[in-house]
């Protein structure tokens, strides 16, 4: 693996070029071009604010910010992995003609998506600023926001590891693409994105199992990360189920440590798997 | 091999090179293949290269000839590091620019200019270096203002010209050429050959595969004849070509004299 990393470093310039190419192609034939990367999170924030403010108000003020805090990193994760699945397969004609470390293909796509995540956070903080201007009594900005880079690093590791695995496997077994599509779809509902982890904690089934369900639920790194992002970026909220209002509960940092450990293992394992398979990509039947 | 070349270190050195391909009877990947991995499938293995040994030296143009399926293209692909050999040793001294298929790495939606940058970086230049060479590349390719149009609007001749122009301007030490020098019209072809000659005089190594025996005779210093993955003969082009042609002729005679 050491040798492969050295090779990767030698080709870093190509990695930047692949990222640049990916960003260029994405909006090549559209009139608004790169602006779409900003428009999509802006429109999403607008629609969510309308939906959670008027249509499905659950009593939490500015709930749309809570959804965005978890949804933006989820979107990065989902998009990175779905794009990775096709990254090598769609470039088989190219890699049959010329050598470069094959991992640059999924890595370039993941980095391009990471840049979109950064733009998403830009919109997110602008939205928090907007909330603050409308109601200057409450400062929505949290000091714990400094944890954001660390959380993003965990997300990046996890996405890269899974992206490498999915891109390698999908080159030989195209069912993998559909399987990951389904998995991503289900993961969205199984993670606290459109609801909070407090809702899970105070659910009847969790109370009956003495909190075992809550623990199991947060062993899913995406669930732990979603809650992690939310806790870092926003003030804790009390939630109301039925007629009782429950105080906020913090997620134990242990779950984030587990998510971090899982991400590192997935990254190393994924890279090892990719390296074992990468020479056979061009010999694909 | 001349006296002068023996003292120099080879740019390409191949020892006992073997390449096996496995062909399984299962359809292209599918979860079925994965799930039934323990089930024995009839996997056919065939050896394309059966132990090759040869060296190429700076300033030399070596051409590889042989019938279809002799392993010529596989050899070039292994040198270009597209395939990994099954066994044996490949030592390459210097940077390789493979011309396995001109314009293969071009993305249709990007302009010629953007593709030059991408291709140049793939071939091992830094972006700064490639930017410095862009004027020369555009001039050589004779594309003019089309350089700022998307590559999908190019004709095949334009694509080939751009591909060749990029590959020749990346300061490679070794050119791997697979049947691609006959690009564009006659004038451009001559320009390519002149440029290749200059490349060679400057100490570059060329390894080419061609069925165009006239080109082989005209350009190469040495000729390697491959048959069924093995080297039959290596030496001066006219000698090897004569042997190759007579072998072909006798094979053909045998074919025709076979009773139905």
């Amino acid at each position: 693996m050491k040798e492969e990393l050295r090779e990767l470093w030698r080709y870093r310039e190509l990695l930047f070029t692949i990222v640049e190419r990916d960003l260029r192609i994405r909006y090549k034939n559209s009139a608004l071009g790169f602006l779409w990367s900003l428009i999509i999170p802006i429109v999403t924030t607008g629609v969510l604010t309308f939906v959670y403010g008027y249509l499905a108000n659950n009593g939490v003020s500015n709930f749309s910010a809570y959804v965005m805090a978890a949804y933006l990193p989820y979107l990065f994760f989902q998009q990175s992995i779905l794009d990775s699945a096709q990254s090598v397969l769609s470039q088989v004609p190219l890699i049959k003609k010329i050598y470069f470390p094959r991992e640059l293909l999924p890595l370039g796509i993941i980095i391009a998506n990471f840049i979109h995540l950064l733009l998403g956070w830009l919109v997110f903080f602008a939205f928090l600023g907007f909330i603050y201007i409308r109601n200057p009594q409450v400062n929505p900005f949290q000091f714990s926001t400094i944890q954001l880079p660390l959380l993003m690093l965990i997300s990046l590791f996890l996405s890269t590891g899974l992206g490498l695995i999915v891109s390698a496997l999908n080159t030989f077994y195209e069912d993998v693409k559909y399987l990951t599509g389904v998995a991503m779809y289900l993961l969205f509902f199984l993670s606290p994105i459109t609801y909070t982890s407090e809702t899970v904690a105070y659910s009847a089934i969790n109370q009956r199992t003495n909190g075992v369900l809550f623990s199991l639920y947060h062993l899913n790194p995406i669930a732990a990360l979603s809650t992690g992002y939310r806790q870092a970026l926003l003030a804790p909220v009390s939630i109301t189920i039925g007629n009782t209002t429950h105080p906020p509960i913090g997620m134990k940092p242990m779950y984030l440590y587990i998510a971090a450990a899982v991400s590192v293992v997935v990254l190393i394992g994924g890279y090892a798997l990719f390296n074992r398979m990468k020479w056979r990509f061009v010999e694909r039947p | 091999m001349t006296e002068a070349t023996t003292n120099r270190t080879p740019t390409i050195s191949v020892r006992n090179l073997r390449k096996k391909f496995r062909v399984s009877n299962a359809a292209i990947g599918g979860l079925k293949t994965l799930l039934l991995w323990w089930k024995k499938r009839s996997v056919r293995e065939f050896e394309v290269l059966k132990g090759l040994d040869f060296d190429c030296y700076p300033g030399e143009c070596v051409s590889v000839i042989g019938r279809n399926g002799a392993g010529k293209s596989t050899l070039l692909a292994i040198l270009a590091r597209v395939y990994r050999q099954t066994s044996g040793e490949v030592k390459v001294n210097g940077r390789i620019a493979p011309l396995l298929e001109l314009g293969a790495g071009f993305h249709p939606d990007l302009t010629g200019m953007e593709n030059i940058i991408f291709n140049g970086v793939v071939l091992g230049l830094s972006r700064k270096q490639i930017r410095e060479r862009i004027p020369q590349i555009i001039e050589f390719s004779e594309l003019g203002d089309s350089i700022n149009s998307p590559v999908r609007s190019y004709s095949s001749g334009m694509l080939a010209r751009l591909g060749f122009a990029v590959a020749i301007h990346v300061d490679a030490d070794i050119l791997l050429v697979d049947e691609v020098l006959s690009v564009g019209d006659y004038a451009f072809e001559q320009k390519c050959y002149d440029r290749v000659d200059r490349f060679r005089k400057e100490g570059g190594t060329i390894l080419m595969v061609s069925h165009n025996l006239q080109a082989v005779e005209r350009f190469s210093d040495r000729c390697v004849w491959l048959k069924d993955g093995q080297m039959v003969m290596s030496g001066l082009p006219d000698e090897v070509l004569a042997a190759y042609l007579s072998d072909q002729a006798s094979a053909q005679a045998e074919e025709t004299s076979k009773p139905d």
Side-chain angles (χ1 to χ4, degrees), chain A residues 52-63:
Chain A
Y52 289 107
Y54 301 100
L55 303 184
N57 195 323
N58 57 0
V60 179
S61 64
N62 297 315
F63 191 67

Side-chain angles (χ1 to χ4, degrees), chain A residues 17-274:
Chain A
T17 314
I18 286 178
V19 173
E20 196 190 316
R21 187 175 82 148
D22 188 74
L23 292 176
R24 269 180 206 271
I25 293 169
R26 196 178 297 226
Y27 301 115
K28 192 74 190 179
N29 297 317
S30 58
L32 292 175
F34 202 67
L35 276 181
W36 278 114
S37 304
L38 284 174
I39 294 170
I40 293 162
I42 290 171
V43 172
T44 313
T45 312
V47 170
L48 288 178
T49 306
F50 177 74
V51 168
Y52 289 107
Y54 301 100
L55 303 184
N57 195 323
N58 57 0
V60 179
S61 64
N62 297 315
F63 191 67
S64 57
Y66 289 84
V67 176
M68 286 304 279
Y71 182 61
L72 288 172
Y74 177 78
L75 198 63
F76 159 68
F77 175 74
Q78 180 194 42
Q79 219 44 49
S80 300
I81 287 165
L82 293 183
D83 290 350
S84 294
Q86 288 293 81
S87 63
V88 174
L89 191 59
S90 67
Q91 298 294 325
V92 165
L94 175 62
I95 62 175
K96 274 190 171 167
K97 300 297 169 214
I98 202 154
Y99 169 80
F100 55 84
R102 275 60 176 115
E103 52 269 39
L104 292 183
L105 294 169
L107 289 182
I109 271 170
I110 288 161
I111 293 174
N113 276 302
F114 198 71
I115 292 171
H116 282 100
L117 174 63
L118 293 175
L119 291 172
W121 290 130
L122 213 67
V123 172
F124 176 81
F125 288 115
F127 180 56
L128 288 192
F130 177 73
I131 292 173
Y132 182 60
I133 291 166
R134 274 187 46 183
N135 180 13
Q137 274 83 44
V138 190
N139 179 6
F141 293 99
Q142 303 293 312
F143 182 69
S144 52
T145 299
I146 52 164
Q147 296 166 7
L148 184 61
L150 218 58
L151 289 166
M152 281 167 63
L153 196 66
I154 301 175
S155 289
L156 183 64
F157 282 6
L158 187 63
S159 306
T160 308
L162 284 174
L164 286 168
I165 294 171
V166 166
S167 63
L169 291 179
N170 192 59
T171 308
F172 297 104
Y173 315 107
E174 285 183 58
D175 306 62
V176 171
K177 174 178 64 191
Y178 302 110
L179 271 176
T180 40
V182 173
M184 290 298 139
Y185 175 74
L186 295 177
L187 207 56
F188 177 80
F189 296 107
L190 284 171
S191 304
I193 295 165
T194 54
Y195 54 92
T196 64
S197 54
E198 278 85 357
T199 321
V200 180
Y202 291 117
S203 63
I205 180 169
N206 185 49
Q207 300 290 334
R208 269 206 307 278
T209 55
N210 285 324
V212 173
L213 186 80
F214 185 77
S215 311
L216 284 177
Y217 178 86
H218 277 101
L219 285 181
N220 163 14
I222 294 299
L225 279 168
S226 300
T227 306
Y229 278 106
R230 205 170 258 160
Q231 284 184 356
L233 295 172
L234 295 159
V237 285
S238 333
I239 59 143
T240 311
I241 297 173
N243 295 321
T244 36
T245 299
H246 300 282
I249 35 166
M251 180 182 65
K252 286 197 200 95
M254 182 189 75
Y255 294 108
L256 272 181
Y257 300 152
I258 292 173
V262 168
S263 304
V264 171
V265 170
V266 167
L267 178 64
I268 295 170
Y271 194 38
L273 178 81
F274 191 94

Side-chain angles (χ1 to χ4, degrees), chain B residues 120-195:
Chain B
V121 175
V122 169
L123 291 174
L125 289 188
S126 71
R127 277 189 288 193
K128 192 170 158 281
Q129 286 171 315
I130 195 87
R131 275 198 202 99
E132 288 163 3
R133 274 157 233 216
I134 279 178
Q136 289 158 267
I137 293 173
I138 296 174
E139 202 204 307
F140 191 91
S141 66
E142 300 169 10
L143 282 170
D145 292 335
S146 308
I147 204 71
N148 291 315
S149 327
V151 157
R152 79 178 109 82
S153 67
Y154 285 21
S155 68
S156 57
M158 288 161 85
L159 273 179
R161 261 147 49 199
L162 185 62
F164 184 84
V166 175
I168 201 77
H169 281 96
V170 295
D171 291 350
D173 306 295
I174 301 154
L175 270 185
L176 300 179
V177 186
D178 194 349
E179 288 287 4
V180 283
L181 276 189
S182 48
V183 295
D185 49 28
Y186 180 75
F188 191 76
E189 198 182 319
Q190 286 311 304
K191 198 161 108 177
C192 289
Y193 279 126
D194 287 348
R195 195 65 180 74

Side-chain angles (χ1 to χ4, degrees), chain B residues 21-73:
Chain B
F21 283 104
R22 295 161 60 106
V23 179
S24 95
N25 63 350
I28 294 185
L31 204 62
K32 217 160 61 183
T33 352
L34 182 67
L35 292 177
L36 302 177
W37 58 271
W38 66 87
K39 209 173 147 184
K40 202 162 162 54
R41 287 184 297 277
S42 68
V43 176
R44 216 154 44 86
E45 238 180 32
F46 59 95
E47 207 166 22
V48 180
L49 296 176
K50 300 168 185 162
L52 286 187
D53 296 272
F54 72 91
D55 295 301
C56 296
Y57 292 88
E60 209 181 12
C61 176
V62 179
S63 51
V64 183
I65 56 168
R67 300 189 62 174
N68 287 330
K72 306 184 296 291
S73 297

